[in-house]
Structure formats: structure tokens, C-alpha cells
Amino acid sequence: MSVVEQYARAHVITDSPESLDPVPALLRYDPDADPRSVHVGLPGPHEWTFSLELLEKGLRAPTRKGDVHIWPCGRVQAVMEFHTATGVEVVQFESKALIRFLQRTYLAGAGVLSRRGS
């Protein structure tokens, strides 16, 4: 199976004026390594791994698991909130970019999940 990588623009939400500028985010899915997880990477050493199911549910309704919270924000955006020992990072994405990424993960991972009996 092939790895799915997609770049998306994200807005890191802070009280700083620089938060208005979008930053590149890397959405990554590797069905061979873990067909149930996705990775979100932001500039610097910021990368989070969480379940594909959490992303799916978070686009429809507020949801959370552990240190990751995801919820829809209006009709065209979604928010991800990542909690760490040093604080909280809040990132806003266009929902259509996340939906497009999810569609690509389904194509890449469908065979892997069925082979593993899920």
C-alpha cells in the first residue's frame, strides 16, 4: 500500500498578529505502519498522531480522545486542539482539505483493513 501525504494550510490560533498567516501542515497516513492512525505535522517539531476515526467524527461533531480535540467550526472549517505538558496548540483547517485527505486514506487503506479482519 502507498503512503498518503497531503499538504494543507492551517491557521495556528493565538493572540498574536502572526497567527493570521497560514502555516503549512502535513497530513500523513501510512496504512502499512498503522491503518487506524493519521499524523498531523506543523512547522518545527510539532507532530501529532491520533486515530483516523477521531478525525472522521470530529468533522461532524465535537469529539476528543486523550490530548486531541477536534470539532467543526461553522460550515467550512474544523479546529484541532492539541494538549501537551507545555500548553495547548489550536489549529484551524478548511474542512474540505481534511475531507479530501480522508477520501485518499480510504482508497489507500481499504485493502489493509479488510485483510486484517476489521
Side-chain angles (χ1 to χ4, degrees), residues 42-69:
L42 295 171
H46 307 280
E47 183 174 317
W48 292 272
T49 301
F50 52 91
S51 75
L52 185 62
E53 180 182 23
L54 183 69
L55 179 56
E56 292 169 333
K57 288 182 178 180
L59 290 175
R60 294 187 305 269
T63 189
R64 71 180 221 187
K65 185 166 187 177
D67 296 333
V68 179
H69 304 222

PDB file of all heavy atoms in Angstrom, residues 42-69:
ATOM      1  N   LEU A  42       3.155  20.099  11.887  1.00  0.00           N
ATOM      2  CA  LEU A  42       3.224  21.545  11.697  1.00  0.00           C
ATOM      3  C   LEU A  42       4.687  21.966  11.696  1.00  0.00           C
ATOM      4  O   LEU A  42       5.554  21.182  12.103  1.00  0.00           O
ATOM      5  CB  LEU A  42       2.457  22.254  12.807  1.00  0.00           C
ATOM      6  CG  LEU A  42       0.955  22.001  12.846  1.00  0.00           C
ATOM      7  CD1 LEU A  42       0.344  22.577  14.100  1.00  0.00           C
ATOM      8  CD2 LEU A  42       0.281  22.567  11.610  1.00  0.00           C
ATOM      9  N   PRO A  43       5.000  23.174  11.253  1.00  0.00           N
ATOM     10  CA  PRO A  43       6.403  23.608  11.247  1.00  0.00           C
ATOM     11  C   PRO A  43       7.052  23.419  12.616  1.00  0.00           C
ATOM     12  O   PRO A  43       6.413  23.606  13.653  1.00  0.00           O
ATOM     13  CB  PRO A  43       6.307  25.086  10.879  1.00  0.00           C
ATOM     14  CG  PRO A  43       5.043  25.196  10.098  1.00  0.00           C
ATOM     15  CD  PRO A  43       4.099  24.201  10.745  1.00  0.00           C
ATOM     16  N   GLY A  44       8.310  23.037  12.572  1.00  0.00           N
ATOM     17  CA  GLY A  44       9.033  22.763  13.810  1.00  0.00           C
ATOM     18  C   GLY A  44       8.826  21.314  14.218  1.00  0.00           C
ATOM     19  O   GLY A  44       8.431  20.479  13.414  1.00  0.00           O
ATOM     20  N   PRO A  45       9.046  21.015  15.461  1.00  0.00           N
ATOM     21  CA  PRO A  45       8.967  19.620  15.911  1.00  0.00           C
ATOM     22  C   PRO A  45       7.546  19.191  16.297  1.00  0.00           C
ATOM     23  O   PRO A  45       7.366  18.240  17.032  1.00  0.00           O
ATOM     24  CB  PRO A  45       9.875  19.625  17.144  1.00  0.00           C
ATOM     25  CG  PRO A  45       9.690  20.997  17.708  1.00  0.00           C
ATOM     26  CD  PRO A  45       9.548  21.900  16.500  1.00  0.00           C
ATOM     27  N   HIS A  46       6.550  19.889  15.796  1.00  0.00           N
ATOM     28  CA  HIS A  46       5.177  19.630  16.205  1.00  0.00           C
ATOM     29  C   HIS A  46       4.544  18.565  15.312  1.00  0.00           C
ATOM     30  O   HIS A  46       4.237  18.820  14.150  1.00  0.00           O
ATOM     31  CB  HIS A  46       4.340  20.907  16.144  1.00  0.00           C
ATOM     32  CG  HIS A  46       4.957  22.040  16.900  1.00  0.00           C
ATOM     33  ND1 HIS A  46       4.852  22.156  18.258  1.00  0.00           N
ATOM     34  CD2 HIS A  46       5.688  23.091  16.482  1.00  0.00           C
ATOM     35  CE1 HIS A  46       5.495  23.232  18.651  1.00  0.00           C
ATOM     36  NE2 HIS A  46       6.017  23.820  17.588  1.00  0.00           N
ATOM     37  N   GLU A  47       4.340  17.386  15.853  1.00  0.00           N
ATOM     38  CA  GLU A  47       3.628  16.335  15.126  1.00  0.00           C
ATOM     39  C   GLU A  47       2.757  15.576  16.104  1.00  0.00           C
ATOM     40  O   GLU A  47       3.177  15.249  17.211  1.00  0.00           O
ATOM     41  CB  GLU A  47       4.581  15.367  14.431  1.00  0.00           C
ATOM     42  CG  GLU A  47       3.813  14.330  13.637  1.00  0.00           C
ATOM     43  CD  GLU A  47       4.694  13.415  12.811  1.00  0.00           C
ATOM     44  OE1 GLU A  47       5.639  13.911  12.177  1.00  0.00           O
ATOM     45  OE2 GLU A  47       4.421  12.210  12.810  1.00  0.00           O
ATOM     46  N   TRP A  48       1.526  15.311  15.668  1.00  0.00           N
ATOM     47  CA  TRP A  48       0.596  14.560  16.497  1.00  0.00           C
ATOM     48  C   TRP A  48       0.087  13.364  15.719  1.00  0.00           C
ATOM     49  O   TRP A  48      -0.116  13.439  14.504  1.00  0.00           O
ATOM     50  CB  TRP A  48      -0.580  15.438  16.901  1.00  0.00           C
ATOM     51  CG  TRP A  48      -0.179  16.528  17.831  1.00  0.00           C
ATOM     52  CD1 TRP A  48      -0.126  16.467  19.191  1.00  0.00           C
ATOM     53  CD2 TRP A  48       0.270  17.831  17.491  1.00  0.00           C
ATOM     54  NE1 TRP A  48       0.321  17.649  19.706  1.00  0.00           N
ATOM     55  CE2 TRP A  48       0.568  18.512  18.681  1.00  0.00           C
ATOM     56  CE3 TRP A  48       0.443  18.498  16.284  1.00  0.00           C
ATOM     57  CZ2 TRP A  48       1.030  19.815  18.710  1.00  0.00           C
ATOM     58  CZ3 TRP A  48       0.905  19.802  16.308  1.00  0.00           C
ATOM     59  CH2 TRP A  48       1.191  20.442  17.507  1.00  0.00           C
ATOM     60  N   THR A  49      -0.130  12.278  16.432  1.00  0.00           N
ATOM     61  CA  THR A  49      -0.693  11.065  15.862  1.00  0.00           C
ATOM     62  C   THR A  49      -1.963  10.747  16.636  1.00  0.00           C
ATOM     63  O   THR A  49      -1.966  10.770  17.865  1.00  0.00           O
ATOM     64  CB  THR A  49       0.297   9.896  15.982  1.00  0.00           C
ATOM     65  OG1 THR A  49       1.508  10.247  15.294  1.00  0.00           O
ATOM     66  CG2 THR A  49      -0.273   8.633  15.379  1.00  0.00           C
ATOM     67  N   PHE A  50      -3.029  10.484  15.900  1.00  0.00           N
ATOM     68  CA  PHE A  50      -4.292  10.138  16.529  1.00  0.00           C
ATOM     69  C   PHE A  50      -5.098   9.285  15.563  1.00  0.00           C
ATOM     70  O   PHE A  50      -4.713   9.093  14.411  1.00  0.00           O
ATOM     71  CB  PHE A  50      -5.060  11.389  16.969  1.00  0.00           C
ATOM     72  CG  PHE A  50      -5.234  12.426  15.888  1.00  0.00           C
ATOM     73  CD1 PHE A  50      -6.347  12.418  15.076  1.00  0.00           C
ATOM     74  CD2 PHE A  50      -4.279  13.410  15.696  1.00  0.00           C
ATOM     75  CE1 PHE A  50      -6.511  13.371  14.087  1.00  0.00           C
ATOM     76  CE2 PHE A  50      -4.428  14.377  14.723  1.00  0.00           C
ATOM     77  CZ  PHE A  50      -5.562  14.349  13.913  1.00  0.00           C
ATOM     78  N   SER A  51      -6.210   8.776  16.045  1.00  0.00           N
ATOM     79  CA  SER A  51      -6.969   7.810  15.251  1.00  0.00           C
ATOM     80  C   SER A  51      -7.675   8.463  14.067  1.00  0.00           C
ATOM     81  O   SER A  51      -8.151   9.605  14.146  1.00  0.00           O
ATOM     82  CB  SER A  51      -7.984   7.072  16.119  1.00  0.00           C
ATOM     83  OG  SER A  51      -9.078   7.894  16.424  1.00  0.00           O
ATOM     84  N   LEU A  52      -7.742   7.708  13.008  1.00  0.00           N
ATOM     85  CA  LEU A  52      -8.478   8.103  11.821  1.00  0.00           C
ATOM     86  C   LEU A  52      -9.943   8.332  12.186  1.00  0.00           C
ATOM     87  O   LEU A  52     -10.575   9.285  11.727  1.00  0.00           O
ATOM     88  CB  LEU A  52      -8.342   6.992  10.772  1.00  0.00           C
ATOM     89  CG  LEU A  52      -8.925   7.195   9.404  1.00  0.00           C
ATOM     90  CD1 LEU A  52      -8.273   8.367   8.712  1.00  0.00           C
ATOM     91  CD2 LEU A  52      -8.736   5.939   8.572  1.00  0.00           C
ATOM     92  N   GLU A  53     -10.472   7.500  13.055  1.00  0.00           N
ATOM     93  CA  GLU A  53     -11.860   7.617  13.497  1.00  0.00           C
ATOM     94  C   GLU A  53     -12.113   8.965  14.196  1.00  0.00           C
ATOM     95  O   GLU A  53     -13.159   9.581  14.009  1.00  0.00           O
ATOM     96  CB  GLU A  53     -12.211   6.469  14.432  1.00  0.00           C
ATOM     97  CG  GLU A  53     -13.631   6.511  14.927  1.00  0.00           C
ATOM     98  CD  GLU A  53     -13.947   5.392  15.893  1.00  0.00           C
ATOM     99  OE1 GLU A  53     -13.023   4.843  16.528  1.00  0.00           O
ATOM    100  OE2 GLU A  53     -15.142   5.084  16.030  1.00  0.00           O
ATOM    101  N   LEU A  54     -11.156   9.423  14.989  1.00  0.00           N
ATOM    102  CA  LEU A  54     -11.299  10.710  15.670  1.00  0.00           C
ATOM    103  C   LEU A  54     -11.434  11.844  14.656  1.00  0.00           C
ATOM    104  O   LEU A  54     -12.276  12.731  14.808  1.00  0.00           O
ATOM    105  CB  LEU A  54     -10.113  10.955  16.599  1.00  0.00           C
ATOM    106  CG  LEU A  54     -10.160  12.225  17.439  1.00  0.00           C
ATOM    107  CD1 LEU A  54     -11.243  12.123  18.505  1.00  0.00           C
ATOM    108  CD2 LEU A  54      -8.817  12.470  18.098  1.00  0.00           C
ATOM    109  N   LEU A  55     -10.623  11.803  13.612  1.00  0.00           N
ATOM    110  CA  LEU A  55     -10.714  12.827  12.569  1.00  0.00           C
ATOM    111  C   LEU A  55     -12.069  12.757  11.874  1.00  0.00           C
ATOM    112  O   LEU A  55     -12.715  13.774  11.658  1.00  0.00           O
ATOM    113  CB  LEU A  55      -9.576  12.666  11.563  1.00  0.00           C
ATOM    114  CG  LEU A  55      -9.552  13.661  10.397  1.00  0.00           C
ATOM    115  CD1 LEU A  55      -9.531  15.100  10.886  1.00  0.00           C
ATOM    116  CD2 LEU A  55      -8.363  13.369   9.494  1.00  0.00           C
ATOM    117  N   GLU A  56     -12.513  11.558  11.525  1.00  0.00           N
ATOM    118  CA  GLU A  56     -13.815  11.397  10.864  1.00  0.00           C
ATOM    119  C   GLU A  56     -14.940  11.981  11.712  1.00  0.00           C
ATOM    120  O   GLU A  56     -15.760  12.763  11.232  1.00  0.00           O
ATOM    121  CB  GLU A  56     -14.108   9.919  10.617  1.00  0.00           C
ATOM    122  CG  GLU A  56     -13.222   9.266   9.612  1.00  0.00           C
ATOM    123  CD  GLU A  56     -13.376   7.747   9.607  1.00  0.00           C
ATOM    124  OE1 GLU A  56     -13.755   7.153  10.655  1.00  0.00           O
ATOM    125  OE2 GLU A  56     -13.120   7.140   8.558  1.00  0.00           O
ATOM    126  N   LYS A  57     -14.990  11.604  12.967  1.00  0.00           N
ATOM    127  CA  LYS A  57     -16.060  12.063  13.858  1.00  0.00           C
ATOM    128  C   LYS A  57     -15.960  13.558  14.139  1.00  0.00           C
ATOM    129  O   LYS A  57     -16.971  14.241  14.235  1.00  0.00           O
ATOM    130  CB  LYS A  57     -16.021  11.289  15.170  1.00  0.00           C
ATOM    131  CG  LYS A  57     -16.483   9.861  15.034  1.00  0.00           C
ATOM    132  CD  LYS A  57     -16.459   9.151  16.375  1.00  0.00           C
ATOM    133  CE  LYS A  57     -16.971   7.732  16.261  1.00  0.00           C
ATOM    134  NZ  LYS A  57     -16.949   7.038  17.561  1.00  0.00           N
ATOM    135  N   GLY A  58     -14.743  14.062  14.271  1.00  0.00           N
ATOM    136  CA  GLY A  58     -14.542  15.466  14.598  1.00  0.00           C
ATOM    137  C   GLY A  58     -14.968  16.428  13.510  1.00  0.00           C
ATOM    138  O   GLY A  58     -15.205  17.605  13.776  1.00  0.00           O
ATOM    139  N   LEU A  59     -15.094  15.946  12.291  1.00  0.00           N
ATOM    140  CA  LEU A  59     -15.575  16.804  11.210  1.00  0.00           C
ATOM    141  C   LEU A  59     -17.090  16.979  11.262  1.00  0.00           C
ATOM    142  O   LEU A  59     -17.638  17.881  10.641  1.00  0.00           O
ATOM    143  CB  LEU A  59     -15.155  16.240   9.853  1.00  0.00           C
ATOM    144  CG  LEU A  59     -13.660  16.328   9.561  1.00  0.00           C
ATOM    145  CD1 LEU A  59     -13.340  15.626   8.251  1.00  0.00           C
ATOM    146  CD2 LEU A  59     -13.191  17.765   9.527  1.00  0.00           C
ATOM    147  N   ARG A  60     -17.772  16.105  12.015  1.00  0.00           N
ATOM    148  CA  ARG A  60     -19.234  16.164  12.117  1.00  0.00           C
ATOM    149  C   ARG A  60     -19.729  16.737  13.442  1.00  0.00           C
ATOM    150  O   ARG A  60     -20.779  17.364  13.501  1.00  0.00           O
ATOM    151  CB  ARG A  60     -19.816  14.764  11.925  1.00  0.00           C
ATOM    152  CG  ARG A  60     -19.599  14.202  10.531  1.00  0.00           C
ATOM    153  CD  ARG A  60     -20.342  12.892  10.326  1.00  0.00           C
ATOM    154  NE  ARG A  60     -20.022  11.874  11.310  1.00  0.00           N
ATOM    155  CZ  ARG A  60     -19.055  10.965  11.188  1.00  0.00           C
ATOM    156  NH1 ARG A  60     -18.292  10.971  10.119  1.00  0.00           N
ATOM    157  NH2 ARG A  60     -18.853  10.063  12.115  1.00  0.00           N
ATOM    158  N   ALA A  61     -18.971  16.465  14.513  1.00  0.00           N
ATOM    159  CA  ALA A  61     -19.406  16.895  15.848  1.00  0.00           C
ATOM    160  C   ALA A  61     -18.176  16.987  16.749  1.00  0.00           C
ATOM    161  O   ALA A  61     -17.178  16.307  16.503  1.00  0.00           O
ATOM    162  CB  ALA A  61     -20.405  15.894  16.422  1.00  0.00           C
ATOM    163  N   PRO A  62     -18.248  17.792  17.800  1.00  0.00           N
ATOM    164  CA  PRO A  62     -17.104  17.879  18.715  1.00  0.00           C
ATOM    165  C   PRO A  62     -16.777  16.506  19.305  1.00  0.00           C
ATOM    166  O   PRO A  62     -17.665  15.765  19.729  1.00  0.00           O
ATOM    167  CB  PRO A  62     -17.592  18.829  19.808  1.00  0.00           C
ATOM    168  CG  PRO A  62     -18.667  19.628  19.161  1.00  0.00           C
ATOM    169  CD  PRO A  62     -19.329  18.693  18.186  1.00  0.00           C
ATOM    170  N   THR A  63     -15.501  16.175  19.276  1.00  0.00           N
ATOM    171  CA  THR A  63     -15.061  14.896  19.815  1.00  0.00           C
ATOM    172  C   THR A  63     -13.650  15.034  20.355  1.00  0.00           C
ATOM    173  O   THR A  63     -12.927  15.954  19.992  1.00  0.00           O
ATOM    174  CB  THR A  63     -15.149  13.785  18.742  1.00  0.00           C
ATOM    175  OG1 THR A  63     -14.911  12.524  19.336  1.00  0.00           O
ATOM    176  CG2 THR A  63     -14.175  14.021  17.616  1.00  0.00           C
ATOM    177  N   ARG A  64     -13.283  14.131  21.224  1.00  0.00           N
ATOM    178  CA  ARG A  64     -11.924  14.168  21.763  1.00  0.00           C
ATOM    179  C   ARG A  64     -11.521  12.786  22.230  1.00  0.00           C
ATOM    180  O   ARG A  64     -12.344  11.947  22.570  1.00  0.00           O
ATOM    181  CB  ARG A  64     -11.803  15.167  22.888  1.00  0.00           C
ATOM    182  CG  ARG A  64     -12.501  14.746  24.150  1.00  0.00           C
ATOM    183  CD  ARG A  64     -12.344  15.775  25.203  1.00  0.00           C
ATOM    184  NE  ARG A  64     -12.094  15.104  26.467  1.00  0.00           N
ATOM    185  CZ  ARG A  64     -12.043  15.710  27.621  1.00  0.00           C
ATOM    186  NH1 ARG A  64     -12.170  17.006  27.689  1.00  0.00           N
ATOM    187  NH2 ARG A  64     -11.827  15.043  28.713  1.00  0.00           N
ATOM    188  N   LYS A  65     -10.232  12.595  22.215  1.00  0.00           N
ATOM    189  CA  LYS A  65      -9.649  11.374  22.762  1.00  0.00           C
ATOM    190  C   LYS A  65      -8.270  11.762  23.275  1.00  0.00           C
ATOM    191  O   LYS A  65      -7.435  12.248  22.518  1.00  0.00           O
ATOM    192  CB  LYS A  65      -9.567  10.272  21.722  1.00  0.00           C
ATOM    193  CG  LYS A  65      -9.072   8.974  22.321  1.00  0.00           C
ATOM    194  CD  LYS A  65      -9.298   7.810  21.419  1.00  0.00           C
ATOM    195  CE  LYS A  65      -8.919   6.556  22.180  1.00  0.00           C
ATOM    196  NZ  LYS A  65      -9.189   5.376  21.392  1.00  0.00           N
ATOM    197  N   GLY A  66      -8.080  11.565  24.552  1.00  0.00           N
ATOM    198  CA  GLY A  66      -6.804  11.920  25.151  1.00  0.00           C
ATOM    199  C   GLY A  66      -6.508  13.391  25.003  1.00  0.00           C
ATOM    200  O   GLY A  66      -7.314  14.245  25.371  1.00  0.00           O
ATOM    201  N   ASP A  67      -5.363  13.692  24.413  1.00  0.00           N
ATOM    202  CA  ASP A  67      -4.887  15.065  24.293  1.00  0.00           C
ATOM    203  C   ASP A  67      -5.317  15.767  23.015  1.00  0.00           C
ATOM    204  O   ASP A  67      -4.879  16.883  22.741  1.00  0.00           O
ATOM    205  CB  ASP A  67      -3.359  15.081  24.372  1.00  0.00           C
ATOM    206  CG  ASP A  67      -2.847  14.606  25.720  1.00  0.00           C
ATOM    207  OD1 ASP A  67      -3.589  14.747  26.713  1.00  0.00           O
ATOM    208  OD2 ASP A  67      -1.719  14.101  25.775  1.00  0.00           O
ATOM    209  N   VAL A  68      -6.158  15.120  22.207  1.00  0.00           N
ATOM    210  CA  VAL A  68      -6.571  15.697  20.930  1.00  0.00           C
ATOM    211  C   VAL A  68      -8.079  15.936  20.940  1.00  0.00           C
ATOM    212  O   VAL A  68      -8.857  15.033  21.239  1.00  0.00           O
ATOM    213  CB  VAL A  68      -6.197  14.771  19.752  1.00  0.00           C
ATOM    214  CG1 VAL A  68      -6.646  15.372  18.426  1.00  0.00           C
ATOM    215  CG2 VAL A  68      -4.696  14.500  19.726  1.00  0.00           C
ATOM    216  N   HIS A  69      -8.476  17.161  20.602  1.00  0.00           N
ATOM    217  CA  HIS A  69      -9.876  17.546  20.490  1.00  0.00           C
ATOM    218  C   HIS A  69     -10.088  18.059  19.067  1.00  0.00           C
ATOM    219  O   HIS A  69      -9.281  18.841  18.567  1.00  0.00           O
ATOM    220  CB  HIS A  69     -10.218  18.673  21.452  1.00  0.00           C
ATOM    221  CG  HIS A  69      -9.901  18.375  22.880  1.00  0.00           C
ATOM    222  ND1 HIS A  69     -10.747  18.705  23.897  1.00  0.00           N
ATOM    223  CD2 HIS A  69      -8.836  17.781  23.483  1.00  0.00           C
ATOM    224  CE1 HIS A  69     -10.219  18.337  25.059  1.00  0.00           C
ATOM    225  NE2 HIS A  69      -9.050  17.782  24.813  1.00  0.00           N
TER     226      HIS A  69
END
